[in-house]
Amino acid sequence: MGKTTKFLVTGLSALMLAGSLAACDDGRAGAEGAAKQLASSLAGLDLGPVALEGTDTAAANEQLKAVFADLGDIKPSVAAGEVKLDGSKATVPLDYSWKLGSAEWKYSSQAELTKSGDKWTVQWNPALLVPELKDGEVLDVTTARAKRGGILGAGDTPIVQDRKVIRVGLDKTKVDAAKVESSASALAGLVGLDVAEYTTQSAAAGPQAFVEAIVLRGFTADITEAKLKAIPGAVALPDTLSLAPTRTFARPVLGSVGQASAEQIEKSKGALKAGDIVGTGGLQEKYDSLLRGKDGLVVAVVPAPGQDAPAEGTAAEGTAAEPRTLFEVPAMDGTSLKTTLDVKLQQLAEATLADTGPASAIVAIRPSTGAVLAAASGPGSNGYNTAMLGQYAPGSTFKIVDSLAMIRDGMTPDSKVQCTPTLTVDGRTFKNAEGYPASSLGSVALRDAFAHSCNTAFISARDKVSQQQLESAATSLGVAVEAPKLGADAFLGSVPGNAEGTEHAASMIGQGKVLLSPLAAAVMAASVGHGAPVSPQLVLNGGTQSGDGGASDGGASPTAGASPTAGASPSSSASATAPAIAKPVTKAEAAALSDMMRAVVTSGHAGFLAQVPGAPVGAKTGTAEFGKDNPPKTHAWIVAVHGDLAVAVFVEDGGLGATTSGPLLKEFLIAAG
């Protein structure tokens, strides 16, 4: 091949390559780059880096922020799709994804790009942000509130359900700004709030705010409609709230509901927000997620603030149109919690304790099923769940446990024991209660010593009944073990497995380090009535809520007589520390214990219970000393079995069990029918 031909071929190749490159340089790379930049800027909610046509960047950013303002701090994920070229114009789909709680809202819009010289610009249109969005429209995000589940009692009787309430507060739209402080101060004084705190809260709220002060079931003698009207801006708004029949009904057990506090919102890690209704304390808090359900949400396009929606069919092209829903997540209503509480018996228990000054409790259990029918804490408990969480020395009621241990050591109710006026153990003198009958001293039947509660007779048995045997007998009666069916936080008792000397002697009369709650004492009596260990049950459909279980760890204990809140915290699962029931009480053993409990009524301290109609009542009284006063203060106890009902009555600082708790028990049993 000659030189001329060679140069000709080379030149043609160069021309062909140049033509190919020119054909590829159709602007796609620039358009794709502009599209990616637009997607990135939209995801950051800042259009500063984007070249726009039809508006300036500042105006576009202002409109973007207004459109998405109701979404708060949430930012979308935005991806640019495939660019479609048409000469100097291009279109590109924009795929949005918003994380709205646990929901994901996805949609696509379309952007138009125009090439001017070697630069691609984006044609501004609010529909870039949301399909078909027009000028003068923004997004509105509202919560679709889930209906909170109620709490049901025995036979699915409604306990906690929606009831009418009045929300009292200050409506700042109805009072001059200059009078907000004086109105807030007057309203706080009327409803009993801290004046300075409520005034500060009212001042800090926005000009359109309703600043809630109190929620009432109805107007009272002190807070009347007329008094509210006299305060500028004070209003009473009708509403409903999940409430029990009365303000006090089983409140320490059930808990309450109200708006989430700042602390609860912070601890929820985003699960709660201001205005959410949540449970506080008791079952309402323990099963809050079950009861609360799950709120839904609605994302809609609405006219921007200050712009009214146009009349139907009158909206001009490109201007705000009728509100329309873009995305919706339906609310999932909460599930009602089913319990075993008997409304009548709970109200009766609370009424029985109404005039009792010290902390007190009545717990009623159905032995055949373990159902907790009532768990009432008296007004002296000041809102504390004394019935289920109290930790107190049980006194002579614990002689039920002693007697079981002694029966297992070969004794019967007719076996003889020595009841002496006093007994000294390692230098400490124990004696019987004041007024102990002389006729029951000396060599008496175990049944008689039990009926009259001879301390010295039971302490004398300490050499035959070890502390470990006491612990075993307690667990045999359902005490100091876990309660897997209870479904609520509770203290089921603490009976140490090791104790010597005076501590072991004190254990024989339910003192020392032996502690029971009124619930545990009722379980002990119920196990005698049932002829087998009873495992208490309060919640029927709690599932596997966090903390579900019920028994205390049976470990650390408060000093006798100390405030219950100062003692060991109840644990919802005691499996790691509470002993198992190695040797359940038998029907024969329970029959012997029932015989002795009946003797307490027929010949012992609780003769007043013979007047209770219906099935024969078996009982055991108890008095436990606490504190350092001289004479010492005492807890007053009594437990009883009446047919298929086991009851424990407790009064802290109550004197003698027979004279203080006994009459309360009699009143309860007769009224219970």
Side-chain angles (χ1 to χ4, degrees):
M1 184 182 291
K3 289 185 177 180
T4 302
T5 304
K6 182 177 181 181
F7 286 138
L8 178 61
V9 172
T10 303
L12 286 171
S13 298
L15 286 171
M16 291 173 65
L17 178 61
S20 175
L21 289 173
C24 290
D25 187 18
D26 57 0
R28 178 173 294 278
E32 289 177 344
K36 288 181 180 179
Q37 179 62 69
L38 174 60
S40 176
S41 297
L42 288 170
L45 301 182
D46 181 7
L47 293 169
V50 180
L52 297 174
E53 282 188 23
T55 190
D56 58 45
T57 301
N61 264 337
E62 184 177 342
Q63 187 172 10
L64 177 149
K65 286 179 169 49
V67 167
F68 294 138
D70 219 30
L71 288 162
D73 296 330
I74 303 172
K75 291 183 179 181
S77 169
V78 184
E82 182 181 356
V83 173
K84 292 185 178 180
L85 282 176
D86 184 9
S88 62
K89 296 184 180 298
T91 58
V92 59
L94 298 170
D95 298 324
Y96 284 77
S97 175
W98 295 84
K99 289 289 187 182
L100 304 179
S102 60
E104 186 175 16
W105 176 32
K106 293 182 176 182
Y107 61 86
S108 296
S109 66
Q110 183 166 280
E112 295 181 358
L113 289 73
T114 303
K115 185 178 182 183
S116 178
D118 60 353
K119 184 177 182 181
W120 286 91
T121 57
V122 177
Q123 182 65 44
W124 174 250
N125 184 333
L128 276 171
L129 308 178
V130 177
E132 300 182 10
L133 189 74
K134 297 178 175 58
D135 286 326
E137 293 182 330
V138 297
L139 296 187
D140 176 65
V141 182
T142 56
T143 299
R145 294 290 184 190
K147 182 179 179 181
R148 189 174 183 87
I151 296 181
L152 307 177
D156 288 346
T157 302
I159 294 178
V160 176
Q161 59 183 328
D162 282 347
R163 301 177 191 272
K164 292 180 179 180
V165 296
I166 302 170
R167 294 190 181 275
V168 176
L170 188 67
D171 184 346
K172 294 186 68 174
T173 67
K174 298 181 182 298
V175 59
D176 292 339
K179 295 183 178 180
V180 167
E181 183 176 350
S182 61
S183 288
S185 177
L187 182 56
L190 176 65
V191 303
L193 294 181
D194 183 287
V195 172
E197 183 177 337
Y198 185 71
T199 301
T200 301
Q201 180 185 356
S202 299
Q208 306 290 317
F210 169 73
V211 188
E212 186 173 289
I214 194 171
V215 179
L216 303 172
R217 289 174 181 257
F219 289 112
T220 67
D222 296 322
I223 306 174
T224 65
E225 195 169 7
K227 289 179 180 179
L228 284 178
K229 287 182 177 179
I231 302 173
V235 296
L237 305 178
D239 199 358
T240 60
L241 194 62
S242 292
L243 296 173
T246 66
R247 185 179 63 84
T248 59
F249 183 93
R251 185 156 185 166
V253 176
L254 302 178
S256 60
V257 295
Q259 291 193 6
S261 66
E263 182 181 1
Q264 287 173 316
I265 292 171
E266 183 179 355
K267 286 183 177 179
S268 76
K269 297 181 180 179
L272 296 175
K273 57 185 181 299
D276 281 350
I277 301 298
V278 298
T280 301
L283 300 181
Q284 289 282 11
E285 182 173 346
K286 186 176 184 67
Y287 296 98
D288 184 64
S289 60
L290 179 76
L291 290 161
R292 180 158 42 92
K294 191 174 182 181
D295 288 343
L297 60 83
V298 177
V299 181
V301 172
V302 299
Q307 297 194 37
D308 295 328
E312 186 175 352
T314 63
E317 185 176 350
T319 62
E322 286 285 330
R324 57 195 184 277
T325 298
L326 300 179
F327 180 68
E328 184 173 5
V329 178
M332 296 176 61
D333 290 343
T335 300
S336 290
L337 192 68
K338 296 184 178 184
T339 76
T340 59
L341 287 178
D342 184 294
V343 173
K344 175 189 171 184
L345 290 183
Q346 179 69 29
Q347 290 175 325
L348 174 60
E350 292 178 7
T352 303
L353 296 173
D355 297 326
T356 303
S360 59
I362 293 178
V363 176
I365 292 177
R366 194 173 301 288
S368 60
T369 63
V372 178
L373 304 177
S377 299
S381 297
N382 296 316
Y384 186 73
N385 191 356
T386 301
M388 297 175 66
L389 299 175
Q391 301 180 31
Y392 300 98
S396 291
T397 61
F398 196 69
K399 287 172 183 169
I400 296 174
V401 172
D402 296 348
S403 298
L404 176 58
M406 293 164 74
I407 288 169
R408 288 177 171 177
D409 197 48
M411 299 188 74
T412 71
D414 294 316
S415 297
K416 296 297 183 180
V417 293
Q418 291 298 316
C419 180
T420 58
T422 63
L423 182 66
T424 301
V425 179
D426 293 345
R428 178 181 173 183
T429 299
F430 293 88
K431 61 180 181 178
N432 297 314
E434 295 295 331
Y436 187 87
S439 59
S440 292
L441 291 172
S443 179
V444 297
L446 176 60
R447 179 189 298 104
D448 194 26
F450 184 92
H452 291 93
S453 208
C454 179
N455 289 336
T456 58
F458 283 89
I459 294 173
S460 294
R462 71 192 185 282
D463 292 334
K464 295 182 178 180
V465 176
S466 69
Q467 188 71 25
Q468 190 172 10
Q469 287 175 301
L470 278 185
E471 180 190 37
S472 175
T475 63
S476 298
L477 292 165
V479 173
V481 294
E482 60 180 320
K485 299 192 299 180
L486 186 62
D489 294 331
F491 176 73
L492 263 292
S494 175
V495 180
N498 295 293
E500 298 179 355
T502 57
E503 185 178 316
H504 179 40
S507 294
M508 298 296 294
I509 55 172
Q511 299 205 165
K513 292 183 178 180
V514 174
L515 297 169
L516 297 185
S517 65
L519 172 64
V523 167
M524 177 176 64
S527 296
V528 174
H530 184 49
V534 168
S535 183
Q537 183 171 34
L538 175 64
V539 175
L540 299 174
N541 67 329
T544 55
Q545 294 291 302
S546 175
D548 198 9
S552 166
D553 59 13
S557 307
T559 302
S563 167
T565 56
S569 298
S571 167
S572 57
S573 178
S575 58
T577 52
I581 302 178
K583 190 177 181 182
V585 64
T586 66
K587 288 195 177 297
E589 292 168 339
L593 294 173
S594 294
D595 171 272
M596 294 165 67
M597 290 178 68
R598 180 59 182 164
V600 175
V601 177
T602 57
S603 61
H605 288 157
F608 50 85
L609 294 177
Q611 302 169 23
V612 176
V617 179
K620 184 67 191 82
T621 59
T623 303
E625 297 179 352
F626 70 94
K628 298 181 180 179
D629 292 353
N630 190 13
K633 296 179 179 180
T634 56
H635 303 315
W637 291 87
I638 190 168
V639 297
V641 178
H642 182 217
D644 198 17
L645 187 67
V647 183
V649 181
F650 166 80
V651 179
E652 183 183 51
D653 191 13
L656 299 176
T659 57
T660 300
S661 295
L664 296 174
L665 174 65
K666 178 182 176 182
E667 178 184 345
F668 179 82
L669 291 179
I670 291 176

